Amino acid sequence: MDNRQPLVAAGTMTGMPIGGGQPRFLALADVAEVLNTSINQVYALVRRGELVAMRIGGRGQWRVETNELEAFIERQYSHTRDYISRNPWGKVEESAPAENSAPDTADGR
């Protein structure tokens, strides 16, 4: 006998988990609010495949499942920890020029 409960109550179309107060899926605008960034940035993350999302409906609206958003956030924390361990504080990044640095050539270019 299967004692698992469905994620969505039968006959509802809300996408809300049973007993939960949080929606299962978020619109890109909601994801942008959670990440404190722009909708365009979230869309770029989705299109690059960094954030898993799906298109729904005839108008192609994007939705991100909350557990995918949480997984993305955890990956970003992991990437940040790796970056920090490879680039300790005080070490100048080679790819980023220092602010107010003098030009590399005598002609100022």
Side-chain angles (χ1 to χ4, degrees):
M1 182 171 165
D2 189 357
N3 292 328
R4 292 179 292 170
Q5 294 184 3
L7 291 174
V8 179
T12 66
M13 298 295 284
T14 63
M16 298 289 287
I18 293 177
Q22 300 297 319
R24 180 175 176 186
F25 296 97
L26 300 172
L28 296 189
D30 298 326
V31 174
E33 185 175 329
V34 169
L35 296 176
N36 195 26
T37 191
S38 69
I39 296 172
N40 289 338
Q41 179 63 40
V42 173
Y43 180 72
L45 292 169
V46 169
R47 294 296 300 200
R48 287 193 307 258
E50 295 178 40
L51 177 59
V52 177
M54 66 178 178
R55 286 183 64 175
I56 60 169
R59 295 186 348 214
Q61 298 177 4
W62 290 94
R63 293 294 182 268
V64 176
E65 196 166 4
T66 53
N67 64 343
E68 292 293 344
L69 177 57
E70 291 300 323
F72 169 78
I73 291 169
E74 287 302 316
R75 284 191 308 274
Q76 292 307 114
Y77 275 126
S78 178
H79 293 314
T80 302
R81 281 190 296 273
D82 292 344
Y83 173 82
I84 290 170
S85 69
R86 288 189 317 270
N87 300 283
W89 181 255
K91 180 181 174 185
V92 177
E93 295 181 38
E94 292 179 24
S95 61
E99 290 185 36
N100 300 325
S101 63
D104 290 345
T105 60
D107 64 357
R109 288 191 239 163

